[in-house]
Structure formats: structure tokens, C-alpha cells
Amino acid sequence: MERKNVLVSEADLAVQRDFQKKIKDMFTAREAHPVACVDTFGCQQNVADGQKLMGMLEEMGFTFTDKAAEADLVILNTCAVREHAEDRVFGNLGALTHSKKENPEQVICLCGCMAQEPRVSERIKKSYLHVNLVFGPHALWKFPELLWRVYERRKRVFSVDDEHGTIAEGIPVVRERGVKAWVSIMYGCNNFCSYCIVPYVRGRERSRDPECVLAEVRELVAAGYKDITLLGQNVNSYGNDLDIGYDFSDLLADIDRIEGEYLIRFMSSHPKDATKKLFDTMAASRHVAHQLHLPFQSGNDRVLQEMNRRYTREKYLSLVNYAKSVMPDLVLTSDVIIGFPGETEEEAMDTVSLVDEVGFDALFTFIYSPRPGTKAAAMPDPATRAEKQKWFDKLLEVQNAKSAALHAAYIGKTVRVLVDGKSDDPDYPLTSRTQGNRLVRIRGGEELMGRFLNVKITDSNTWALYGEAEE
Ligand code: SAM
Ligand code: SF4
Ligand code: F3S
């Protein structure tokens, strides 16, 4: 794929800005004050996409609500990664028939990863007639034009063509007020892990120009954001498609030179492409958090091969050992799947033993969910749900004990945290994060929000630390 075909041209983006204006003018002429509800499911990439949708909507004159019943426009920005995620969206779509009855002018959109699955868009076309607009991640930048078509023609609009994907720079973004910001540095995935739907719905890997990423991070730091996460399905292959001899470590090192008080995080890292250079760059940086989300998925080599992950248990362990040797304070998290088709109890216990051996600070654990169209969905899957649940419970038991022990070891220590939110616990009304992204619940008033503090850890449990700010 040639680079010049990947970037959406300035002229095409200008056309979309014209559509934004047309919609705004239409509402102004009607003296209407349109309200939108954008409901985002799934990963941080989808959250970042949702913020772009809100950016475009703001330009069209919309304000926002989180109550679908009060909205003129409802957008479900969906995730396709597991069946459960899809079921929730179909449930929500069903419920919207009531709000549409109350307000027949309400416009309902379904976008995101589910929309890009032909199986889903066909089902919406046939059975969810109250949905006005369906578009996949590839069409996100054309949202103003698609929405204009809905308003102008009052017809249903579907934009779900299968594409390799593009990069559209300069789309406005509505970010959460506060301290955290997301920056997509690349889109798509080339890895085709055999269980995963993402490469089918998000297209091929394409990296943003380093200058665009650097400019965005500079702006965020200047605007006071202090906790910035770089996003990609596999940030370790950033730059492969740029052909300029510039990789993810180079990008991190360049970002690190930006002056200010802020932290840089990133996710996700694929172990097959993680390098010593990356860990050395993290260790030598001023702003890159010593935190690594390095999904291993399985601790058994046969299962890893069937998953098409392209590393072994041994390679994974050697990466982790190297990373810990150059960053002794590294906070390590991972994703893991139990019950991949054909996995035996013994193989699942290899995963449990890897968890025991490594000592992850936290794990995101999933029971395998077949995704139609992926290679694994066609594999024989003899283990019962009850067996998989038993293996899964064992995994959780081991991990929860690890997390609790790792957290207990913080008691009595002083850690530097960034105060990032409020909690509903009256004894510990603020939440904060360590450099390694561990949750620390603290006492104190709202004036501490957005500040870096030294906090003495006084208590802990499996999920969080508790502490008090030092003078
Ligand atoms: N690109 C990231 C990577 O490879 O590390 C992961 C992205 S995926 C959206 C997040 C996690 O969902 C994966 O790491 C995997 O553990 C899990 N996942 C993906 N497909 C799944 C499936 N079919 N069933 C269960 N879990 C799944
Ligand atoms: Fe899915 Fe694998 Fe790509 Fe991650 S690397 S998004 S798990 S295909
Ligand atoms: Fe889900 Fe799409 Fe993210 S499938 S996990 S929202 S890339």
C-alpha cells in the first residue's frame, strides 16, 4: 500500500468541514439546539474515535448528554471483540425503539467495529429499521457527509465498505476535561491472531507521521494534560509502513524531549516486536512511565502457535526479564485468553504457571469468544464452558493472590502519584495513579486534582492502594 494513498487529502477534509457547516446552518435556521448522546464501547482506540465524533458534532452545533432519551442524535460507537460486547449493543439498540417512538425525529447511528462486520450491518438493515446511519471505522472521517445525507434525504445510510484504511489528520477532538489524553499513533493491525476480529474491522497497519504525533503531544502538554497514552493495536510496529528508518523507540525518544511535567504511556505492545531498544529507551527517558502492557495470551507454545502469536513462552519470559533488569520498578500488565479452541486443561495450567512465574501487577482475563470469520472460529472446540470456567477461576485465584501481595508490599512506602479523579468513597474521595498506573485512593480536596504528589501508602487490597499525601 503506498503512503500517498493512505492520507486523506486536505481537499477531502475541507469538503467534510463544509458539511459540518451545512448541518450547523440547518439547525440555526430552525432555531434548534441539537443534543447528541455518544455511547462508546470497547478499547481506548474506540474512546479516541468517540472523541473525534464529538469534535465533529461540536462543530455542527451539538451539545452533549449521556441520556439517550433526551438526545436528538444517538450514536452507539461499538466493539466487536467478544460476543458479549455485541450482545450489549443489540440490547441497547432494541431499547432505543422506545425513545424513537417518543421522538420520531431522533436519529440513531451505529458505528465502530461492529458496523464494519457484514453480518452485523445486514442484520441492522433487515431487523433494526429504526437505525438511520451505519458506518465503520474506515468512514469515520466522512461522518459529517453521511449525517447530512440522513438529514437531507431522510433515508437510511450505510457506509461499510471493506478497505485497507486511511489516516485523516486534523479532525477536531472533544477531550475529557482533566489530566488524561489519548493519542492514536497508528491504526489497524496486520497480525491476524487467529481468534481476533480486529484486523478484519480496522484494516491494515498505518502509522501517523511522527511530526503530526509530536505536534499533538506538544499541544496536549501545553494545554495541561499530564498523563498521555499513545495508542495502537501494536505500537511496536509503528513506523514499519513509513519506510524512513524510524521506529516506535525513536518516536518515544523524540516525545521525551518535549519539556514539561507529564507522563507518557502506551498500549498495546506485541511481544513478537518488542525490542531491547524499546526497553532501553523507556529506562533512559524522563517522561515515559515504567509501565508495560505486554499481552501474552497463553503460556503454552502449542496454543501460542495456533493463536498465530509468533513467539514462545521462553521468548516472552526473556523479554520480561530484560525489561525488569533495566527497569526494576517496572509495572507489568497483560491480556490472557482461557479456553482457546482445542486447549486442554494441562495447556491452560501452563498459562496459570506463567502468571505465577512472572507476577503481573494486573491482568485482563478473557474466556475465548468465537468471532465469526476468524480462523479460530472454525477450529474444533471440545472443552465445555464449565471446564473453561474452572480453569479461568483458577487463573483468577492465582492472579488475585499475586496482585494482593504486590499491593501489600507498597504499605509504608512513599510513591509519587498524579491525582486524576473523584471517587464515591467518602473516606478516600480522590483517585490517583502511580507512574506504573496503579490505582491509589487518597484523602484530600478537589484542589489537588491534576497535581503530582508524594503519597504514603497506608493500606491495600487486590485492586487498589490507599494513602495519604505527604506535606
Ligand atoms: N492488539 C492488542 C494485542 O495484541 O495485545 C490487543 C487488542 S484486543 C482488542 C484486546 C484483548 O482482547 C486481546 O489481547 C485478547 O486478550 C482479547 N481478545 C481478542 N479477541 C478475543 C476473543 N475472540 N475472545 C476472547 N478474548 C479476545
Ligand atoms: Fe488482535 Fe492480534 Fe491484532 Fe492484537 S495483535 S489486535 S490480538 S490480531
Ligand atoms: Fe473492540 Fe474494535 Fe477496540 S473490536 S477492542 S473497539 S479495536
Side-chain angles (χ1 to χ4, degrees), residues 99-309:
S99 68
K100 187 98 171 193
K101 247 186 216 133
E102 296 281 307
N103 174 11
E105 292 295 301
Q106 188 176 55
V107 169
I108 298 176
C109 302
L110 181 118
C111 65
C113 294
M114 272 173 78
Q116 199 67 47
E117 291 181 284
R119 178 178 59 85
V120 171
S121 59
E122 284 308 314
R123 181 167 164 194
I124 305 268
K125 213 174 249 174
K126 285 206 189 87
S127 312
Y128 291 79
L129 301 178
H130 60 302
V131 177
N132 305 80
L133 170 58
V134 177
F135 62 98
H138 298 314
L140 183 100
W141 66 275
K142 289 184 241 174
F143 169 57
E145 179 177 356
L146 300 172
L147 187 60
W148 172 253
R149 274 203 252 151
V150 172
Y151 281 125
E152 192 193 23
R153 301 188 201 156
R154 285 278 145 196
K155 275 200 177 145
R156 305 180 79 200
V157 174
F158 285 74
S159 180
V160 291
D161 290 347
D162 191 17
E163 290 176 26
H164 276 190
T166 50
I167 295 179
E169 292 292 350
I171 293 184
V173 179
V174 170
R175 298 189 193 268
E176 263 168 64
R177 291 231 314 274
V179 297
K180 285 180 203 266
W182 313 106
V183 176
S184 294
I185 61 165
M186 59 191 297
Y187 306 96
C189 180
N190 288 356
N191 293 316
F192 289 94
C193 301
S194 61
Y195 50 80
C196 185
I197 194 73
V198 172
Y200 299 90
V201 293
R202 290 258 166 188
R204 297 291 66 74
E205 276 173 5
R206 54 241 186 247
S207 306
R208 289 178 68 196
D209 193 317
E211 282 310 320
C212 295
V213 176
L214 286 165
E216 187 169 344
V217 175
R218 257 183 234 117
E219 263 170 43
L220 289 171
V221 171
Y225 287 94
K226 295 197 164 18
D227 190 332
I228 299 168
T229 305
L230 309 178
L231 300 174
Q233 290 303 341
N234 173 17
V235 292
N236 297 335
S237 53
Y238 174 83
N240 287 354
D241 56 324
L242 293 172
D243 275 337
I244 52 170
Y246 187 92
D247 67 13
F248 180 57
S249 306
D250 299 325
L251 181 69
L252 273 187
D254 280 344
I255 290 175
D256 193 50
R257 287 190 195 97
I258 298 171
E259 290 302 326
E261 196 184 28
Y262 66 93
L263 280 173
I264 288 287
R265 308 180 193 280
F266 56 88
M267 63 190 285
S268 282
S269 269
H270 195 306
K272 83 175 165 57
D273 304 306
T275 56
K276 287 188 172 176
K277 179 180 172 193
L278 169 65
F279 302 141
D280 292 342
T281 307
M282 289 171 74
S285 73
R286 297 176 298 164
H287 300 289
V288 183
H290 289 181
Q291 176 208 348
L292 186 63
H293 183 63
L294 192 67
F296 72 92
Q297 313 297 358
S298 165
N300 176 273
D301 286 346
R302 188 198 69 83
V303 176
L304 282 172
Q305 193 169 4
E306 290 292 302
M307 286 177 161
N308 192 30
R309 290 290 289 180

Side-chain angles (χ1 to χ4, degrees), residues 1 7 14 24-25 28 41 58 64 74 89 93 119 188 273 331 333 349 367 418 420 467 470:
M1 184 173 38
L7 287 174
K24 184 171 190 167
D25 292 347
T28 309
F41 302 78
E58 198 173 66
F64 301 101
V74 181
V89 168
L93 267 188
R119 178 178 59 85
D273 304 306
V331 168
T333 59
M349 290 310 115
I367 291 186
L418 174 63
D420 67 349
E470 290 184 338

